[in-house]
Amino acid sequence: MLMAFLMFLGGAFSFGVPKVALVMFIVNFLLSFVAKDQFPDAAFWGYVSLVLGGLLAKFGEPSKKTNDTNGEK
């Protein structure tokens, strides 16, 4: 349940605060190693979290919005 919650939070923060989301995905990956003995599918979800974190690190930069509304047309 904790791993699912961390993945949910990572997805929720991925657009607004990508660095926080990256930390959530990395913590989830590390947590999967602790839980893989009792839950065999935890390793799979840990690797999914690692891939999502890697994609977020590569492509998850916040967009730079320009505000050119100075009243001129």
Side-chain angles (χ1 to χ4, degrees):
M1 293 278 284
L2 180 62
M3 288 178 61
F5 184 66
L6 286 174
M7 286 187 75
F8 173 75
L9 286 179
F13 286 125
S14 64
F15 289 111
V17 194
K19 290 183 181 183
V20 173
L22 181 62
V23 169
M24 297 279 182
F25 285 130
I26 291 172
V27 168
N28 193 23
F29 173 69
L30 295 174
L31 185 64
S32 72
F33 284 115
V34 175
K36 73 178 180 180
D37 291 334
Q38 295 177 349
F39 303 103
D41 62 334
F44 170 76
W45 290 110
Y47 288 122
V48 168
S49 183
L50 181 66
V51 168
L52 289 174
L55 289 172
L56 185 63
K58 176 110 174 119
F59 300 112
E61 297 178 7
S63 61
K64 307 284 192 256
K65 294 182 180 179
T66 58
N67 192 3
D68 291 338
T69 57
N70 58 4
E72 297 178 16
K73 293 185 179 183

